[in-house]
Amino acid sequence: MIVDRQGRRFRNLRISLTSACNYACTYCVPDGKRLVAAQNELSADAMARGVEYLIEAAGIERLRITGGEPLVSPRLEGFMSRIGRMGLSDISLTTNGQLLARKLPILLDAGIRRINVSLDTLDPGAFRAIARGGDLNAVLDGMEQARAAGIRIKVNMVPLRGQNLDQVMPLLEYCLARGYELRFIELMRMGHLAGDQNAFLQQFVSLGQLLSLIGERYAYSQADAPVDATAVRYRIPDQGHFGVIANESVPFCRTCSRLRLSSTGWLHGCLSSSHRHYVGDLFDKPRHEALPALQRLLIKALGDKQAVAFSGGATVMKIIGG
Ligand code: SAM
């Protein structure tokens, strides 16, 4: 097992199935262009074999499928049909929900029992302004259908000053009423925001600001969360839970156990580092050749992790999947 001086090791793998996306969220891509698939994306077979090799070489236990938007990928079905038999303790998926209703059978067949749906507002106008694509009702309907099929749902919201701060309470109440757990994600200095301090600070909403807003209406207390959880979790008695991924206010680098694999075969040990390591070619090799080479690169990737706090990274989220 590869462990660093701070006792960190890779347990959680996030795989970006494609860098293509049917949205163009303002905080993710600066120019409003929807994202197209990168050249040379790995085949579903190679990706699945990659997961298998990383389980063995790094000790991966949990897998999250993300993107880009994973549900737009033509590799979705092929990939999902292969990963169920690998002995992972947890497989989940992050999606913008636009195609959720349509792709639900594939997720159910693959044994997916929990998903995260990104939704920044319940206001159709603000939705169009932030996502710059898609249809709000399709997302809400997809979540209803997933819930009815027994899938546990967390909703990811990035609160942005001047754009959707007025949606914090409506979204929280919408989620509490339906048993969805809302996760606020503090804005991260990624992509264009890494180099534009003003744009970042103008939009950034902190954990403290969120809690004081919620505290005006609800009493809450901190709830338990796993040691390597990225979210601080809170309980509202008799109503449910919400969480905050407070990468700026409560950095979680010290316990980070995440490894990311891009759709083109690059390993990223840290969101905040521009280092990456090409492993795509190893997934076509037999196990006995691939694993030693993979382990050497995993040591490098683990060395890329920040010691204490996330400082930002020029890599666009869609490439490595948030
Ligand atoms: N398309 C999928 C979705 O929308 O959930 C998966 C990929 S998306 C990049 C994953 C998550 O990253 C989304 O919840 C999105 O809101 C979040 N995200 C993207 N850029 C971000 C940023 N600069 N700061 C915080 N969260 C960000």
Side-chain angles (χ1 to χ4, degrees):
M1 200 66 66
I2 302 162
V3 183
D4 76 1
R5 280 204 208 117
Q6 293 185 237
R8 296 178 294 194
R9 49 163 286 217
F10 294 126
R11 284 176 202 276
N12 298 322
L13 175 64
R14 299 196 149 206
I15 187 163
S16 173
L17 212 52
T18 178
S19 57
C21 189
N22 42 2
Y23 285 10
C25 297
T26 53
Y27 49 83
C28 189
V29 288
D31 54 11
K33 287 201 186 109
R34 283 193 217 162
L35 301 159
V36 292
Q39 298 287 310
N40 309 323
E41 294 198 322
L42 301 179
S43 67
D45 257 349
M47 281 184 182
R49 207 158 37 250
V51 175
E52 227 179 301
Y53 285 178
L54 287 167
I55 291 173
E56 205 168 327
I60 294 299
E61 295 159 8
R62 296 153 60 100
L63 176 69
R64 177 172 291 277
I65 299 138
T66 173
E69 171 49 43
L71 300 191
V72 304
S73 170
R75 287 173 293 280
L76 179 73
E77 193 161 6
F79 178 73
M80 299 304 283
S81 66
R82 287 167 175 81
I83 51 166
R85 302 181 292 269
M86 293 183 189
L88 289 157
S89 65
D90 182 54
I91 304 174
S92 57
L93 175 123
T94 303
T95 173
N96 61 30
Q98 199 56 226
L99 300 177
L100 188 51
R102 209 188 307 163
K103 304 286 177 170
L104 199 52
I106 297 178
L107 306 187
L108 291 169
D109 281 353
I112 297 280
R113 289 294 169 264
R114 61 186 201 94
I115 58 174
N116 285 31
V117 180
S118 302
L119 177 62
D120 294 322
T121 175
L122 289 170
D123 176 86
F127 180 89
R128 277 192 299 277
I130 296 172
R132 298 185 288 193
D135 167 54
L136 174 61
N137 283 329
V139 182
L140 301 182
D141 177 49
M143 289 201 292
E144 276 305 325
Q145 292 197 32
R147 178 170 71 129
I151 291 187
R152 203 149 47 89
I153 297 178
K154 285 184 186 157
V155 172
N156 289 349
M157 174 200 195
V158 181
L160 303 161
R161 191 191 313 279
Q163 291 178 66
N164 65 354
L165 208 45
D166 62 338
Q167 289 291 301
V168 165
M169 295 313 293
L171 250 175
L172 178 62
E173 287 169 352
Y174 185 88
C175 290
L176 288 172
R178 288 161 181 78
Y180 307 152
E181 188 164 323
L182 182 57
R183 287 284 154 101
F184 300 101
I185 308 179
E186 278 187 354
L187 185 63
M188 299 173 86
R189 301 165 198 264
M190 294 295 295
H192 62 294
L193 291 176
D196 189 345
Q197 178 81 342
N198 280 344
F200 174 78
L201 290 174
Q202 268 165 22
Q203 299 174 79
F204 179 74
V205 179
S206 70
L207 167 72
Q209 288 164 330
L210 279 169
L211 291 182
S212 61
L213 202 59
I214 294 167
E216 286 172 16
R217 199 167 305 166
Y218 293 105
Y220 60 82
S221 56
Q222 198 163 333
D224 289 340
V227 183
D228 62 349
T230 50
V232 194
R233 224 167 146 245
Y234 299 90
R235 191 172 76 87
I236 301 179
D238 304 321
Q239 306 265 355
H241 290 82
F242 67 95
V244 186
I245 302 183
N247 35 280
E248 291 282 326
S249 305
V250 189
F252 39 80
C253 298
R254 285 177 200 278
T255 56
C256 178
S257 58
R258 293 191 175 171
L259 174 67
R260 293 177 166 86
L261 177 66
S262 78
S263 57
T264 49
W266 293 86
L267 276 187
H268 294 253
C270 175
L271 264 188
S272 189
S273 164
S274 53
H275 292 165
R276 57 183 193 158
H277 310 277
Y278 187 65
V279 294
D281 54 346
L282 298 178
F283 302 157
D284 292 328
K285 295 195 190 308
R287 205 176 218 91
H288 70 275
E289 272 179 48
L291 291 192
L294 204 47
Q295 268 168 335
R296 281 193 291 279
L297 294 171
L298 282 164
I299 291 169
K300 290 190 180 170
L302 192 59
D304 295 338
K305 284 201 180 296
Q306 299 278 306
V308 182
F310 179 86
S311 54
T315 314
V316 180
M317 270 311 220
K318 56 108 183 178
I319 305 287
I320 42 181

